[in-house]
Amino acid sequence: MLFIKSIIVAAFFSLLFAGSSIAAPADEAFVQQKANEALAILRDDSLDPAAKTARFADYVDNVTDVPRVARFVLGKYARGADPQKLASFTEVFREYASGVYESQLGNFGGETLKVLGSQDRKPGDSVVTSVISGGKIEEPIKVNWRIRTRNGQQTVLDVQIFGIWLALQQRNEITSVIANHGGDIEAAIDVLREKVAKGNYGEKDAKAASH
Amino acid sequence: MMRMVFRTFTLISAAFAASACGTTSSAHQDDPLYVWNKGVFAFNKAADKVVVEPVARTYHNIVPKPGRDGVRNALGNLRSPVILGNDLLQGKFGRASKTLARFGINSTFGIVGLFDVAKRAGIKGHTEDMGQTLAVWGISSGPYVMLPILGPSNFRDTTGFILDIGLEPLTYMRFNGRNAILTGRFGVNGVSVREVNLDTIEALRNASIDEYASLKSAYEQLRANAISDGKVNIDDLPDYDEYEDEK
């Protein structure tokens, strides 16, 4: 009788959770901790801009799996790519991605981030939802984090802010550049090198220019 | 209703199929109208540089922020019937009641919508349109298309843009000067939207590696986000191992 009851209870819960995603509490804690670290770097006024950029680049290296994200943004062009070109691309992409993330998050500092919840996409692949509020911003801003876990090590694969996944955005642009140059990764390397040399990543620069 | 949707969608598809005949580029398989789109993108960019952006900047410099906010609030309030219609067509009755409450409060206490009193009372606004409704009904987006002056769209959103006219009360009113009001409102709305996005568009241009691809990607992501009301649909996210070398 107890056995039948257990089956009924199990069936009930499997129905209850069918189609819904399970939370990933370890990933939520990871995001909370890493976001606090990022905000601490951004609000550290003892650092000059160059030192802040260097510190942020180290931070990005530490929390994201740059080679994996670099392969992702290359899309179909990553498969079978020349290893030397792939290494060159990863190197310049590291600098570019760090600049973009610093630029996007550079306007924050006095704000706080609160994790709201998470969804498990599949084992080792989850999305953590958070909200940034307080400080200078009038309305809370929702930020989603795509987290990958392998061998107990968590890394950030992508961040969605203002409704846009940044790595996905970069993939659509980079693959377009490569497609326009006959599938040559070198074209994307050149464009990113130029971008990094100019140090122009958008958000912070545009706001500075228009006010 | 479904027949009208299908007819409009078919007409738009046929028009673009005819104009973009032979323009498919093998390098841009996800963008079958690439050549047409790139041409219109260049035209829109030039029009923006010469007319739209200077007008929006002048408006920004001349009209103080409370005035610009008032214009934006009033235009948003006038859009309420379209939002309400789409809330209802999507079966989102909770959101529909908020739209209705906002319209009532802002039209009266907010002095014909100039002040967003409802937001201060905790009833925040949202947008809905027929493009989103068609998506909720399961109609696929169709190809991406760049429209002259109007900017990025797709077959579904273009169809929705036309069908939204049917939800607009002014469409059914008959009086002298109606067309002038509709045209003026369209123009003021365009300038207001461009003005509020001066920073965002400049940031997008500064950050982009490929401006055309950047706009297309941002448009598609923002529309997906609007359709899901800001919720992340984890099944729609790409796999990170998709293009790994096979081991």
Side-chain angles (χ1 to χ4, degrees):
Chain A
M1 192 62 192
L2 189 68
F3 177 68
I4 293 169
K5 256 189 188 171
S6 306
I7 290 175
I8 292 168
V9 169
F12 172 75
F13 278 104
S14 66
L15 276 174
L16 197 68
F17 290 108
S20 76
S21 357
I22 298 156
D27 294 346
E28 292 177 22
F30 171 75
V31 166
Q32 186 69 67
Q33 185 200 334
K34 294 301 172 188
N36 287 345
E37 285 174 20
L39 291 170
I41 296 171
L42 295 169
R43 73 166 76 99
D44 188 348
D45 293 332
S46 69
L47 297 169
D48 63 47
K52 196 176 269 193
T53 299
R55 186 90 168 269
F56 202 80
D58 286 345
Y59 166 83
V60 170
D61 241 1
N62 177 252
V63 298
T64 63
D65 183 347
V66 176
R68 181 166 294 277
V69 180
R71 286 190 74 94
F72 172 75
V73 301
L74 282 172
K76 66 178 179 182
Y77 301 105
R79 191 176 286 158
D82 174 50
Q84 216 160 12
K85 282 188 181 179
L86 200 57
S88 298
F89 178 81
T90 306
E91 194 187 316
V92 70
F93 179 74
R94 172 177 280 120
E95 276 190 75
Y96 172 74
S98 172
V100 169
Y101 282 100
E102 190 190 356
S103 167
Q104 289 289 326
L105 299 171
N107 292 313
F108 302 119
E111 292 76 13
T112 51
L113 180 137
K114 187 182 172 194
V115 168
L116 299 178
S118 57
Q119 302 179 72
D120 229 356
R121 188 171 175 268
K122 58 185 187 184
D125 185 355
S126 74
V127 174
V128 176
T129 299
S130 67
V131 69
I132 298 178
S133 59
K136 290 175 282 181
I137 52 175
E138 289 173 14
E139 298 242 346
I141 298 167
K142 202 158 106 174
V143 183
N144 288 305
W145 310 72
R146 180 107 180 253
I147 306 297
R148 182 180 195 264
T149 307
R150 288 291 181 278
N151 306 319
Q153 178 90 23
Q154 292 148 311
T155 50
V156 178
L157 288 180
D158 205 350
V159 177
Q160 188 196 40
I161 186 159
F162 300 118
I164 291 180
W165 289 101
L166 297 180
L168 191 57
Q169 180 78 2
Q170 287 158 2
R171 176 162 89 165
N172 290 333
E173 292 186 57
I174 285 166
T175 53
S176 175
V177 169
I178 298 171
N180 287 334
H181 290 83
D184 188 2
I185 291 177
E186 201 69 48
I189 296 172
D190 290 344
V191 171
L192 289 187
R193 277 195 185 132
E194 201 183 316
K195 207 84 196 160
V196 169
K198 282 184 183 167
N200 189 351
Y201 302 105
E203 194 65 21
K204 227 169 39 172
D205 317 277
K207 286 206 187 298
S210 66
H211 289 293
Chain B
M1 183 71 182
M2 282 306 284
R3 188 186 286 178
M4 192 168 71
V5 169
F6 183 73
R7 258 194 206 160
T8 316
F9 196 83
T10 310
L11 271 172
I12 289 167
S13 306
F16 278 107
S19 67
C21 196
T23 62
T24 308
S25 160
S26 62
H28 298 274
Q29 284 168 343
D30 65 331
D31 190 3
L33 302 174
Y34 179 74
V35 176
W36 157 276
N37 288 340
K38 277 285 269 193
V40 178
F41 172 73
F43 168 78
N44 284 352
K45 202 175 160 187
D48 183 66
K49 193 178 173 188
V50 176
V51 182
V52 187
E53 191 188 344
V55 172
R57 281 213 185 273
T58 307
Y59 172 65
H60 177 88
N61 293 334
I62 291 174
V63 182
K65 192 175 181 299
R68 299 194 310 265
D69 288 348
V71 169
R72 203 167 56 252
N73 288 339
L75 288 167
N77 196 48
L78 285 173
R79 180 132 182 106
S80 297
V82 174
I83 297 172
L84 176 66
N86 283 295
D87 282 335
L88 293 171
L89 287 168
Q90 290 175 39
K92 293 171 180 169
F93 300 111
R95 280 163 77 89
S97 63
K98 279 185 184 169
T99 304
L100 199 59
R102 281 180 55 79
F103 185 63
I105 293 168
N106 287 342
S107 300
T108 52
F109 299 110
I111 314 170
V112 293
L114 285 170
F115 300 96
D116 194 348
V117 183
K119 188 179 167 186
R120 279 177 228 161
I123 311 169
K124 284 207 288 189
H126 63 269
T127 60
E128 287 293 352
D129 55 58
M130 192 54 105
Q132 292 182 51
T133 301
L134 296 177
V136 169
W137 289 355
I139 294 172
S140 66
S141 67
Y144 175 73
V145 59
M146 184 64 75
L147 301 173
I149 305 296
L150 296 172
S153 188
N154 56 45
F155 281 17
R156 182 179 60 206
D157 290 345
T158 306
T159 305
F161 177 76
I162 295 164
L163 293 174
D164 272 336
I165 297 168
L167 293 173
E168 171 60 63
L170 271 176
T171 304
Y172 306 99
M173 294 179 187
R174 293 283 174 266
F175 58 90
N176 282 341
R178 186 194 69 130
N179 287 344
I181 288 176
L182 280 171
T183 311
R185 186 175 133 190
F186 181 78
V188 173
N189 191 52
V191 173
S192 175
V193 169
R194 185 63 182 88
E195 185 277 328
V196 85
N197 287 302
L198 280 170
D199 282 346
T200 311
I201 291 171
E202 193 168 337
L204 192 72
R205 282 179 179 160
N206 285 337
S208 70
I209 303 161
D210 176 321
E211 208 177 316
Y212 171 81
S214 171
L215 182 62
K216 177 176 181 285
S217 174
Y219 177 76
E220 289 171 346
Q221 290 207 57
L222 290 171
R223 285 302 285 171
N225 194 54
I227 290 160
S228 69
D229 297 334
K231 294 181 191 85
V232 176
N233 188 351
I234 50 171
D235 296 327
D236 290 344
L237 294 175
D239 268 321
Y240 261 73
D241 303 332
E242 196 180 356
Y243 294 114
E244 289 288 304
D245 280 329
E246 279 153 27
K247 294 187 177 116

